[in-house]
Structure formats: C-alpha cells, structure tokens
Amino acid sequence: MIHNKKILVTGATSGIGLALCDFLIKQECSVIAVGRDQSKIENLVKKSDDKLKFLSFDLIDFLNYFKIFDEMLAGEKFDGFVHCAGIEETLPLTMYNPENVKRIFDINVFSGIELLRHFSKKKYSNDGASVVFLSSVMGDLGQPGKIGYCATKSAILGIVRSSALELAKRRFRVNAISPGVVNTPMTQKLFSQIEDDNIQRIKEMHPLGIGEVDDVVPVITFLLSDSSKWITGQNIKVDGGYSIQ
C-alpha cells in the first residue's frame, strides 16, 4: 500500500488518471492533479479534504510549468510522478504530416520529458522518488493507422530506460505501465467511430477481455510504493493477455 506521499498526476480528469487520484487520496496521499477540464474532477476535489489540489493546465504550454512546481508545490517536495496524460489518434499514413506528428508527440512524449526534467530537481523531489509513465502495448506491437500513437508510446519506453539509469544516483525509480485496451472515455470515443465488427475484433484480441481502470491503478500504486524500491527501468504490461498471442 501507499500512504502519506505527495504525488503529481497528469491526465487527472479522465480514465486511469482520475481513478488513480481517487485511490491516492483514500490512501491519505497528497495529490497535485493536472488536467484541462476542472468540471470532471470537481466532485473529487470537494470530497478530498484538501488532499487533492487541481491545476487546469494545457501541457503544451511548456514555458509555464513553473505553475506546477513553484506555485502548486509551494516549497514542498514530491515523492512520485505519474504521467497519464496522452492522446490517441487513428490516421492513415497518407494523411500524416509533420504538424500532426508533432501535436501527438507534444502531449505524449515532450511534456513527459519536460515534466521529468523539473521533477528531478532536488528542490522539487525527495530522494527515492518514483516515476511512472503510461505507455501502451501499442508501443511494442504496433497497429495499422496508429503510426503516430505507436511511435510516441515506443518513445516513452526509451525515456524510461535512459532516465532510470541517469536518476539512479538519487535512488529514483522510473518505470512504464503498458495497458491494453481499457474502458475509458478515450476508448469509448474510439468505439463510437468504428464499426461493431471492429469493436468485437478488438475485444477478442484480449483473452481476458478489455480492461477497467481498476485493473491498472493497483499496478501504478505498487510502483509508487516502497514495495517496488528495487524495480526500475521496466515496462510492465497490463493487457489481459493481448501481447502474448
């Protein structure tokens, strides 16, 4: 279990990020949550007894990250960081251009690097801190129509391995979680755009069925806890068997 730690969570207003925030405050953790739509997390903020502080923020606003680390943190230090923020896109190769690719990399990759750069400073984090990036099984396996998305999720794995080595001097652990298809608003949006046959095919690719956010959150919290103090640079797949077929 995880108790009384101070955690930064991005992508906090939906899906895995929102469920993670809910779990952490129940474990008496203090959470600084970053997202765009405050209305989606307002109820959780109200019931958190000041354990959850929310910042409405666009992560492509790289020059203003001080709002997270100076204004919101206010002289305290983080014990953990979970980068849940990300966007999914299905687009044929013929429709890609550099601007499309940069847009998805800005959120899925570049924001994570910049956040980690700030987080790793001694004035913002305690020694022995834990960092968890959300990748995807698509980072390993690939899928037609998802070149941009798959490329970003592969890039995250490189970030994790390299930074785990670089930050080990402060006893940081840096790991990735790679979920399969999880029932989130992002998935529901995808399913609304494709035919029923394709939805069924996606479900059948997961021997244990598609996942729920509660299938992923416990693995993240394990990596944030002291129970994982000898695990770093790893990519843990939580995919209902998708990747073993």
Side-chain angles (χ1 to χ4, degrees):
M1 303 299 287
I2 178 172
H3 297 282
N4 300 316
K5 293 183 181 290
K6 194 168 192 71
I7 310 293
L8 171 63
V9 179
T10 67
T13 58
S14 182
I16 294 170
L18 182 59
L20 175 64
C21 289
D22 189 15
F23 183 90
L24 289 173
I25 62 174
K26 290 175 180 175
Q27 298 298 311
E28 300 299 321
C29 291
S30 297
V31 180
I32 292 180
V34 178
R36 287 184 293 182
D37 189 348
Q38 184 164 350
S39 66
K40 295 180 178 179
I41 199 173
E42 192 64 42
N43 288 337
L44 190 57
V45 173
K46 289 178 180 178
K47 73 177 187 180
S48 70
D49 295 326
D50 294 326
K51 287 289 187 181
L52 176 63
K53 296 180 180 179
F54 177 73
L55 176 64
S56 181
F57 189 80
D58 190 338
L59 287 175
I60 65 171
D61 188 8
F62 299 117
L63 296 179
N64 284 314
Y65 276 21
F66 70 89
K67 293 182 179 180
I68 302 172
F69 292 92
D70 291 326
E71 295 181 7
M72 296 294 289
L73 194 55
E76 298 185 74
K77 292 187 178 185
F78 285 118
D79 300 296
F81 162 41
V82 184
H83 191 42
C84 294
I87 55 176
E88 188 273 342
E89 184 174 68
T90 301
L91 196 67
L93 176 60
T94 54
M95 296 182 66
Y96 269 107
N97 57 50
E99 289 74 23
N100 288 339
V101 175
K102 182 180 182 302
R103 179 175 57 83
I104 192 168
F105 264 83
D106 277 346
I107 294 297
N108 291 7
V109 178
F110 300 149
S111 67
I113 294 173
E114 186 65 4
L115 286 164
L116 182 58
R117 184 177 73 82
H118 282 78
F119 181 90
S120 64
K121 295 180 180 180
K122 288 188 176 182
K123 64 179 178 178
Y124 296 137
S125 58
N126 290 311
D127 289 352
S130 178
V131 177
V132 182
F133 282 86
L134 256 69
S135 182
S136 167
V137 290
M138 295 300 139
D140 267 347
L141 302 180
Q143 191 172 41
K146 293 188 183 294
I147 288 177
Y149 180 75
C150 292
T152 62
K153 294 305 183 179
S154 292
I156 286 171
L157 301 181
I159 294 167
V160 164
R161 295 181 186 115
S162 182
S163 60
L165 292 172
E166 186 167 341
L167 299 175
K169 58 190 176 185
R170 290 192 57 202
R171 306 299 297 175
F172 273 33
R173 295 111 62 207
V174 187
N175 293 287
I177 298 289
S178 286
V181 175
V182 177
N183 184 21
T184 65
M186 184 185 295
T187 299
Q188 292 166 12
K189 180 181 178 181
L190 169 65
F191 283 177
S192 72
Q193 297 170 344
I194 61 178
E195 297 178 352
D196 289 344
D197 287 349
N198 286 334
I199 295 173
Q200 185 59 33
R201 182 178 60 83
I202 291 171
K203 291 179 177 180
E204 289 174 353
M205 293 169 74
H206 298 73
L208 297 182
I210 65 171
E212 300 293 336
V213 292
D214 290 341
D215 297 318
V216 180
V217 166
V219 185
I220 297 174
T221 55
F222 165 71
L223 290 175
L224 290 173
S225 76
D226 295 337
S227 297
S228 65
K229 65 183 179 64
W230 208 47
I231 300 174
T232 196
Q234 302 304 306
N235 174 36
I236 300 176
K237 293 173 182 171
V238 188
D239 64 1
Y242 185 123
S243 59
I244 60 173
Q245 298 185 91

